[in-house]
DNA sequence: TGTATTTAGTTTATAATGCAAACTAGTTAA
DNA sequence: TTAACTAGTTTGCATTATAAACTAAATACA
């Protein structure tokens, strides 16, 4: 297949920058609180919340709600094995795309020099 | 800055997969015809056309219209120096993000082992 | 005690965007 | 002469990212 068609297959759930940053942060922390994650990513609360919902729906993250000292609500987020795998796949695909694009570029410059 | 905030700054004009494939293809070819580019990327004509318009508006590509044997319209597309630079910057930023994310990940696992 | 503010999120409304179907304008075929 | 093809553009629709508005509970303070 032509290398460029491969880009259309990138996992859009991960590709979106806000979610890519969430997923990357979660891959680094084994578990993160909502507010900590918000600070790391710089997203607004509403934005965080809706992106997390999408990731949860895809089973990329696990969201746990509990209460601190039985009072203050605390939401914790973990990446799931599915999510972790998807992130790895995503970067692998990015690498592959860059590699074959570079190859194709070289072949083209040989075929049509100057 | 936290690494994850950097993702929000990715050039969205290039980040979008359809346009990333257009830009990558154009970086490889010095000049491409509309239909050739369409075949390379697998995009529909309508889709190609609107993405190219956006890239043109940003001065990332140069679009030339001419007529083959004075009859058949032929659109040729070239990447501009601005576009080429933007693409290079984009990949540089991706690399940087991955690097600092990896670093941050290591630091975190030292700070919070287990 | 009551009311004002803060905290921790969720829901809603909006604006932007990607996408292909429908359209345009010209060419060739039957 | 009308039907079908070519090379693209425009339009309308569905999806999506975003922040503002909202909810529900806890605390401050007067």
């Amino acid at each position: 297949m032509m290398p460029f068609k491969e880009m259309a297959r990138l996992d859009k759930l991960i590709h979106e920058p806000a979610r890519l940053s969430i997923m990357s942060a979660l891959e680094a922390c084994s578990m993160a609180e909502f507010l900590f994650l918000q600070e790391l990513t710089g997203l607004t609360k509403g934005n965080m919340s809706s992106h997390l919902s999408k990731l949860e729906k895809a089973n990329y993250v696990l969201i746990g709600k509990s209460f601190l000292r039985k009072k203050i609500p605390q939401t914790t987020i973990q990446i799931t094995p599915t999510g972790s795998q998807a992130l790895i796949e995503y970067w692998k695909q990015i690498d592959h795309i860059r590699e074959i694009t570079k190859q194709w570029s070289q072949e083209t410059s040989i075929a049509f020099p100057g």
Side-chain angles (χ1 to χ4, degrees), chain A residues 18-19 22 33-55 63 65 72-75 77:
Chain A
R19 287 189 298 265
I22 291 174
E33 292 167 28
F34 187 98
L35 294 177
F36 179 54
L37 207 53
Q38 196 202 330
E39 205 199 331
L40 283 181
T41 60
L43 298 170
T44 61
K45 286 185 287 191
N47 209 353
M48 267 287 293
S49 180
S50 59
H51 282 305
L52 284 177
S53 293
K54 284 180 190 175
L55 292 171
I63 298 179
K65 280 153 217 266
I72 301 165
Q74 197 192 29
T75 302
I77 303 112

Side-chain angles (χ1 to χ4, degrees), chain A residues 84-97:
Chain A
S84 188
Q85 192 53 45
L87 187 59
I88 290 170
E89 273 306 312
Y90 174 79
W91 287 125
K92 202 184 283 181
Q93 217 177 337
I94 290 278
D95 285 337
H96 185 225
I97 285 168

